[in-house]
Amino acid sequence: MSAASPLLRVHAADDLIVALQDLPAGAEVSLGSQRWCLREAIPAKHKFAGRDLAAGELVVMYGVVVGRTRSAVPAGARLTTENLAHAAADFGGKQREFVWQAPDVSAWRHRTFRGFKRSSGVPGTANHWIVVPLVFCENRNLAVMREALTRALGYGRGSSYECFAARLAELHRRGATPADLEAALLEEETVAPAPLFPNLDGVKFLEHGLGCGGTRQDAEALCRLLAGYIAHPNVAGATVLSLGCQHAQVSLLEKALAELHPRFDRPLQIFEQQKSASEKDMLGRAIRAVFAGAARAAEQEREPCPIDGLVLGVECGGSDGFSGLSANPVIGRAADLLAASGGAPVLSEFPELCGVEQDLCDRCETAELATKFTGLMRAYEQAARACGSGFEANPSPGNIRDGLITDAMKSAGAAKKGGTAPVVDVLDYGEPVRRHGGLNLCCTPGNDVESTTALAAAGCNLIVFSTGLGTPTGNPVCPTLKVATNTGLMRRMSDILDFDAGPVLTGEATIDGAGEQLLELCLATASGEYRPKAVALGQDDFLPWKRGVSL
């Protein structure tokens, strides 16, 4: 895109023109041979009509249908939720052969990263021990173990906020006035102690609110998800806490592990409270076992691993009108480079693929994969309808405020982070990645944390996450890199963001060049040479999906 133009038409067939900067009402603007007089102010990230649109007309952006006009919209007028409703093209199975123009990856083919080798074949980009409750009734015991172990092993510290609160309490004890308290300063982060086990990245505690009280299907889905974490390439071993009487039985977890991860051979410790002499007895044994397991796990060291061992989850959240123009295409380029190098990019968030289903069906390597994808999409949409909702309800108020006014518009930009590679597999929620060398589609909701939680369960050993509004989301076991859609956001929220895709909007960088830089950052992160901001902040978000309820 041109650095000089404040406008962008993404695809030659598009009816909508994107404002790359705030444009005042009455401004005379042009793009190529076309000229418009803007009928109203067009904020940056929003769109105006590139031609007169009649009421009820289908509207195209990114080369696909993104909405239907509620009323006539003259050329130069802004598109809003008042004059544009969600609409998407129909889809149905694989309809054409797909030939991929793979990028040149001669410079990447023999690249490696320093990871932790696992017998499953997929290396870890980190090395964790996890503690997992099978039911929310064990969350208190989980918290006790977290408090007992985290600082003792050197993974916790008194944060600057904790120190700040302690300082305020001390001032209060000394009779400080409100003015004294107001003058107290929040200091910088405290220095973290050296961990007891340097080769272990931490012990993570996966608190959740499920396991009983819901449907049996919820319990089965939870066990399949937890099995994915226990068998995750970044996990050296796991401790499981069970009450005993819950729906999510130990036997269900063991069945999920056997079915989904038949090569699983890492340490698995199971403690059931209702079979223990007392709570103290169970917790004492569990803490001793975690300590011993962590010590053994820390004996492993990083080794060179080929680039095709990267399983890259691609995600977006806090999206804006620039997401589909900068950050997502940059991520898509990195995904294509990885796929062509034998790695496995994974695209999720099925409600945010609404309107681009046919393209993804046609990219499927087989008709069977396309059929599985269409079946999952239609079943999800039907479940949402049964709850009185639908995919059109996916865009959040923040999305709409920043230019994503229909789900199809949001989806067309969101799908860009999946690149252009052929679809080599379609995964239902909880299924693991089995095929490399192309794109995997993973059925998850659009909710950021539910989706990243599922991407990690599928075996992603790294996640790249685009954001236009800023979000601190991370994952307990999977390093998560944040990509800003614009430089202004990167400057404002550099404490939670890792990579700036903004130069693509100004013409200072190309999508291809930025994608290559991003892949380099992925390799540095996978090697433990770069620590993502979400990891440094301890952003350990974990949220299982109650299927069909959320978008």
Side-chain angles (χ1 to χ4, degrees):
M1 61 187 67
S2 169
S5 176
L7 307 178
L8 175 68
R9 174 181 264 128
V10 182
H11 188 279
D14 286 359
D15 299 316
L16 305 184
I17 310 299
V18 185
L20 299 181
Q21 62 190 52
D22 292 341
L23 302 173
E28 298 282 345
V29 295
S30 63
L31 190 63
S33 61
Q34 285 190 283
R35 298 184 64 83
W36 299 273
C37 178
L38 299 181
R39 296 171 178 265
E40 56 195 301
I42 312 295
K45 310 179 186 181
H46 285 257
K47 295 87 186 170
F48 65 85
R51 63 178 180 85
D52 292 335
L53 300 170
E57 188 171 356
L58 291 176
V59 174
V60 171
M61 186 180 169
Y62 293 99
V64 299
V65 173
V66 297
R68 185 186 296 275
T69 54
R70 299 178 187 270
S71 58
V73 183
R78 177 182 169 187
L79 276 298
T80 69
T81 53
E82 284 71 38
N83 59 26
L84 186 68
H86 167 81
D90 197 11
F91 61 97
K94 187 175 177 67
Q95 298 180 6
R96 64 179 178 86
E97 290 304 311
F98 175 73
V99 178
W100 186 36
Q101 299 298 317
D104 178 9
V105 290
S106 54
W108 303 90
R109 198 174 302 279
H110 302 295
R111 292 292 301 277
T112 62
F113 63 93
R114 295 188 60 79
F116 296 92
K117 291 186 176 179
R118 309 292 189 199
S119 60
S120 63
V122 177
T125 63
N127 196 31
H128 293 286
W129 192 276
I130 61 172
V131 184
V132 182
L134 279 181
V135 62
F136 56 81
C137 305
E138 289 298 312
N139 282 346
R140 185 260 178 189
N141 290 335
L142 190 83
V144 169
M145 291 183 66
R146 180 193 294 119
E147 184 178 356
L149 284 164
T150 302
R151 291 198 190 181
L153 297 182
Y155 299 111
R157 60 182 174 182
S159 72
S160 60
Y161 304 111
E162 183 179 341
C163 295
F164 183 48
R167 192 178 310 117
L168 293 176
E170 181 60 26
L171 287 170
H172 177 75
R173 291 189 190 97
R174 294 177 181 177
T177 67
D180 293 331
L181 296 175
E182 186 69 26
L185 298 177
L186 176 64
E187 303 294 340
E188 293 299 318
E189 285 284 333
T190 57
V191 177
L196 182 62
F197 304 126
N199 289 339
L200 190 73
D201 292 294
V203 179
K204 299 294 185 177
F205 301 83
L206 308 188
E207 183 175 341
H208 62 82
L210 301 181
C212 202
T215 66
R216 297 302 172 93
Q217 290 82 2
D218 286 340
E220 291 172 358
L222 174 66
C223 286
R224 291 167 70 87
L225 181 86
L226 295 179
Y229 275 77
I230 291 168
H232 194 279
N234 293 353
V235 173
T239 302
V240 174
L241 303 183
S242 170
L243 178 60
C245 58
Q246 72 275 354
H247 285 168
Q249 287 285 296
V250 170
S251 59
L252 279 182
L253 177 65
E254 292 173 334
K255 178 183 177 184
L257 271 170
E259 289 180 356
L260 299 174
H261 308 279
R263 297 174 62 184
F264 175 73
D265 62 356
R266 277 164 263 164
L268 177 60
Q269 309 164 345
I270 298 175
F271 296 89
E272 192 156 285
Q273 187 166 3
Q274 290 172 346
K275 292 181 179 178
S276 300
S278 65
E279 177 190 287
K280 183 177 180 180
D281 167 63
M282 184 188 80
L283 287 177
R285 289 185 293 114
I287 290 171
R288 184 184 301 113
V290 170
F291 189 94
R296 288 194 301 272
E299 295 172 2
Q300 190 169 5
E301 298 182 353
R302 290 183 181 269
E303 304 174 65
C305 301
I307 190 173
D308 62 13
L310 275 185
V311 183
L312 183 68
V314 296
E315 179 76 18
C316 57
S319 300
D320 70 350
F322 287 157
S323 292
L325 310 180
S326 59
N328 288 345
V330 167
I331 292 173
R333 174 64 176 180
D336 280 349
L337 291 169
L338 180 61
S341 301
V346 186
L347 176 66
S348 59
E349 300 177 290
F350 273 26
E352 296 174 16
L353 301 179
C354 180
V356 296
E357 297 100 333
Q358 191 58 56
D359 174 68
L360 291 168
C361 284
D362 292 338
R363 285 166 57 185
C364 285
E365 286 193 327
T366 66
E368 290 75 17
L369 285 176
T371 299
K372 183 177 181 180
F373 173 58
T374 58
L376 288 170
M377 286 293 290
R378 295 195 193 284
Y380 194 164
E381 172 74 5
Q382 290 168 6
R385 293 284 175 214
C387 294
S389 187
F391 285 171
E392 71 276 4
N394 174 268
S396 70
N399 295 152
I400 295 168
R401 185 179 62 245
D402 268 47
L404 300 178
I405 58 176
T406 72
D407 184 55
M409 184 183 293
K410 181 179 180 181
S411 296
K416 294 293 182 182
K417 63 186 183 289
T420 62
V423 174
V424 295
D425 209 354
V426 176
L427 312 173
D428 198 356
Y429 182 74
E431 285 189 295
V433 171
R434 299 183 180 93
R435 297 198 61 196
H436 289 221
L439 181 65
N440 286 256
L441 301 178
C442 181
C443 183
T444 77
N447 176 300
D448 304 345
V449 178
E450 286 177 328
S451 182
T452 52
T453 298
L455 283 171
C460 293
N461 50 17
L462 189 66
I463 292 173
V464 178
F465 187 124
S466 72
T467 182
L469 303 177
T471 171
T473 304
N475 184 266
V477 303
C478 188
T480 302
L481 290 165
K482 296 293 177 39
V483 180
T485 69
N486 63 91
T487 301
L489 175 69
M490 185 72 192
R491 289 171 178 163
R492 288 195 311 276
M493 305 188 76
S494 61
D495 57 328
I496 66 170
L497 302 172
D498 301 282
F499 186 91
D500 182 16
V504 169
L505 297 172
T506 61
E508 299 169 88
T510 65
I511 289 172
D512 287 359
E516 292 173 7
Q517 292 174 10
L518 181 59
L519 186 55
E520 287 287 358
L521 184 60
C522 288
L523 289 173
T525 303
S527 296
E529 297 166 1
Y530 177 80
R531 193 181 191 204
K533 302 294 177 60
V535 174
L537 291 169
Q539 193 76 38
D540 293 340
D541 300 306
F542 179 78
L543 185 61
W545 179 28
K546 291 196 72 171
R547 195 157 193 169
V549 175
S550 67
L551 293 174

